[in-house]
Amino acid sequence: MTQQRCASYYTASIVQESDYPRLEGEHRVDVAIVGGGFTGVATAVELAERGYRVAIVEANRIGWGASGRNGGQVTGSLSGQDAMTRQMRHTLGDDAEAFVWNLRWRGHRIIKQRVEKYAIPCDLKHGHLQAAYKPSHIKALRQDFEASQRHAIGEHIHWLDAEAVRGVVGTELYHGAIRNDYNMHLHPLNLCLGEARAAASLGALIFEHSPVVDLEHGDTPVVVGEHGRVMADSVILAGNAYHRLERKQLKGKLFPASLGIVTTAPLSSEQVQAIDPEDLAVYDTRFVLDYYRLTADKRLLFGGGANYSGRDSDDIASELRPRLEHTFPQLEGVAIDFQWQGMAGIVINRIPQLGKLSDNVYYAQGYSGHGIATSHIVGEIMANAVSGTLEEFDAFAGVRHLRIPLDDRLGNALLAAGMWYYQLLEKLK
């Protein structure tokens, strides 16, 4: 059974809703993609621009999952980037550090160029703070800032001490910050929908309300839906935390975490000037962090915490209001107009998982809360792999991932215990 979009600020402000047909009958394409979120849609655009005949098969609607529910921040943070660099030295040698560093900013370029090329209305803005929540966080944050100065991106990045932070964000919480004016924030659902329209304009077939019930491997693999089939030369699984295909090989590698967000009523100009006069997106340096930004119509969109049980929370607004008001006491009692949650795909080592299930069936998943920019990088890498350029894909596919030999419920319980341990260590610093 397919599901409607969750009620959120994003769904209430869709510029142009999707309306693609259900998969019926038989279709033949070059590449079939299962999943209509950012990974699937970004890969489809890349392939369609190169002349491939592509089909996206989505169980619900384009951008229905985390791609249309997230915080909307496009940052250069790759989860697990240090571990990624160490692991990729096995395949890339001394080039691993430069490869991972360049990955941090590649998604920005792809998104910005695509928004301009296809005139996608998604409220794209520049400007972001990564703010030190505790004095003990300053050292690592300062090291990241200094590393940025050795690269071309450094001209867009500035260090702010505590007083300077208070000059751009109306809170007393932070002890310093990296200001990055290359980072972006945007309306993710409108971006995903706009990219789907771009793919369709290039000839891609898009099917909504079409759950995939089976995948037949072979020289010409087949994506099997409830009412139709898509035959292809290659198949890409891009469902992240939401799909349950190929569990024999993928089970125990990825775990869902529920991330909640609220959005206030529109703020007055005085309130906007008091909390975020330069329209910056912000997240802090905790292991389980808070993040926020202003929407185009000047609401505060605020997310924080994570539920690693794999189950939805009962009342997101009640959970997040104290954190919002702790950050901005001047907004005490502000009306909350929207609350929602979505499932992110968490990987134990935080390194995105790219691989093959057979010679012509690929998968990509596991961005651990950093999906907007990363999924667009992955889309380019997957398109390259299908086109026969495998160096970057192989670098990811060669990473060793821990697989937990438990069912999802027990795996999530183990993950939750691990997150509790790291949060406890953080409190002791």
Side-chain angles (χ1 to χ4, degrees):
M1 179 181 296
T2 64
Q3 300 182 49
Q4 298 301 313
R5 298 194 188 279
C6 73
S8 72
Y9 168 76
Y10 295 135
T11 56
S13 53
I14 289 174
V15 172
Q16 183 178 340
E17 178 61 281
S18 59
D19 186 23
Y20 299 104
R22 185 175 72 173
L23 172 61
E24 296 181 344
E26 290 201 354
H27 302 265
R28 179 67 167 89
V29 296
D30 300 318
V31 184
I33 300 170
V34 180
F38 275 133
T39 300
V41 172
T43 305
V45 175
E46 290 283 351
L47 288 167
E49 288 181 335
R50 303 178 194 193
Y52 285 83
R53 178 75 165 161
V54 183
I56 300 174
V57 185
E58 163 58 39
N60 298 296
R61 301 188 96 163
I62 294 297
W64 177 89
S67 297
R69 308 186 193 194
N70 60 74
Q73 298 193 21
V74 184
T75 71
S77 296
L78 281 172
S79 285
Q81 62 196 44
D82 293 335
M84 191 186 309
T85 301
R86 291 193 297 271
Q87 291 245 13
M88 289 187 174
R89 285 198 178 100
H90 296 296
T91 53
L92 299 178
D94 293 339
D95 294 332
E97 184 175 357
F99 174 74
V100 173
W101 180 267
N102 289 331
L103 280 178
R104 293 181 62 176
W105 312 109
R106 184 165 154 189
H108 298 59
R109 170 184 55 79
I110 296 168
I111 292 169
K112 187 174 180 180
Q113 290 178 350
R114 197 162 289 167
V115 167
E116 293 173 353
K117 181 176 182 179
Y118 296 105
I120 299 174
C122 61
D123 306 330
L124 189 151
K125 310 170 190 174
H126 286 269
H128 178 264
L129 289 186
Q130 183 179 6
Y133 193 81
K134 299 177 71 173
S136 58
H137 297 172
I138 289 287
K139 181 178 178 181
L141 192 61
R142 184 81 192 184
Q143 287 173 343
D144 196 36
F145 165 74
E146 290 169 356
S148 74
Q149 301 307 296
R150 299 192 292 269
H151 298 269
I153 195 70
E155 66 179 298
H156 302 286
I157 300 177
H158 308 279
W159 178 259
L160 304 183
D161 61 20
E163 183 178 356
V165 174
R166 289 192 291 272
V168 294
V169 182
T171 179
E172 300 292 322
L173 288 184
Y174 307 131
H175 301 272
I178 293 175
R179 176 170 180 160
N180 186 319
D181 290 315
Y182 193 74
N183 281 343
M184 303 181 292
H185 47 111
L186 48 75
H187 190 303
L189 180 53
N190 278 333
L191 173 62
C192 195
L193 290 167
E195 289 185 283
R197 291 193 298 273
S201 74
L202 296 168
L205 303 176
I206 301 178
F207 301 104
E208 294 183 309
H209 308 296
S210 303
V212 173
V213 298
D214 196 13
L215 175 60
E216 298 176 1
H217 292 263
D219 293 338
T220 305
V222 181
V223 172
V224 181
E226 294 176 338
H227 305 281
R229 296 158 53 91
V230 180
M231 295 170 286
D233 297 321
S234 301
V235 171
I236 299 172
L237 300 183
N240 204 36
Y242 286 94
H243 80 80
R244 289 294 178 265
L245 296 172
E246 300 293 321
R247 304 310 293 162
K248 184 176 181 179
Q249 295 189 63
L250 296 179
K251 182 179 179 181
K253 298 181 73 172
L254 179 81
F255 297 93
S258 179
L259 307 178
I261 299 177
V262 297
T263 308
T264 68
L267 303 179
S268 68
S269 58
E270 291 78 15
Q271 288 172 314
V272 168
Q273 285 299 307
I275 67 168
D276 192 3
E278 297 190 29
D279 205 1
L280 302 174
V282 181
Y283 63 66
D284 66 55
T285 50
R286 287 174 293 177
F287 194 76
V288 179
L289 50 78
D290 289 341
Y291 50 93
Y292 51 88
R293 64 184 183 89
L294 293 171
T295 63
D297 57 352
K298 305 306 180 187
R299 304 170 184 267
L300 180 66
L301 185 150
F302 189 100
N307 178 354
Y308 290 97
S309 70
R311 299 184 299 271
D312 284 343
S313 299
D314 293 330
D315 189 347
I316 295 298
S318 294
E319 292 179 14
L320 289 184
R321 180 182 286 280
R323 302 173 75 129
L324 186 159
E325 294 180 353
H326 178 62
T327 306
F328 296 116
Q330 57 270 57
L331 294 184
E332 182 178 357
V334 68
I336 292 177
D337 283 356
F338 300 96
Q339 59 174 306
W340 69 94
Q341 53 200 314
M343 291 293 179
I346 305 297
V347 179
I348 298 299
N349 64 6
R350 295 300 202 267
I351 303 173
Q353 296 173 348
L354 279 62
K356 285 186 176 184
L357 300 175
S358 58
D359 287 343
N360 49 12
V361 177
Y362 304 76
Y363 67 90
Q365 62 183 22
Y367 311 129
S368 300
H370 297 269
I372 303 181
T374 307
S375 60
H376 285 78
I377 298 166
V378 168
E380 193 171 73
I381 292 172
M382 299 303 287
N384 288 340
V386 169
S387 303
T389 303
L390 290 164
E391 181 181 10
E392 293 180 331
F393 176 84
D394 287 344
F396 277 97
V399 169
R400 296 185 300 275
H401 288 282
L402 178 66
R403 184 172 181 174
I404 299 177
L406 301 170
D407 65 29
D408 288 350
R409 180 177 59 83
L410 293 174
N412 269 102
L414 184 61
L415 180 65
M419 295 305 105
W420 175 84
Y421 172 74
Y422 281 112
Q423 285 178 275
L424 179 61
L425 286 182
E426 189 174 62
K427 288 179 180 178
L428 296 175
K429 290 181 180 179

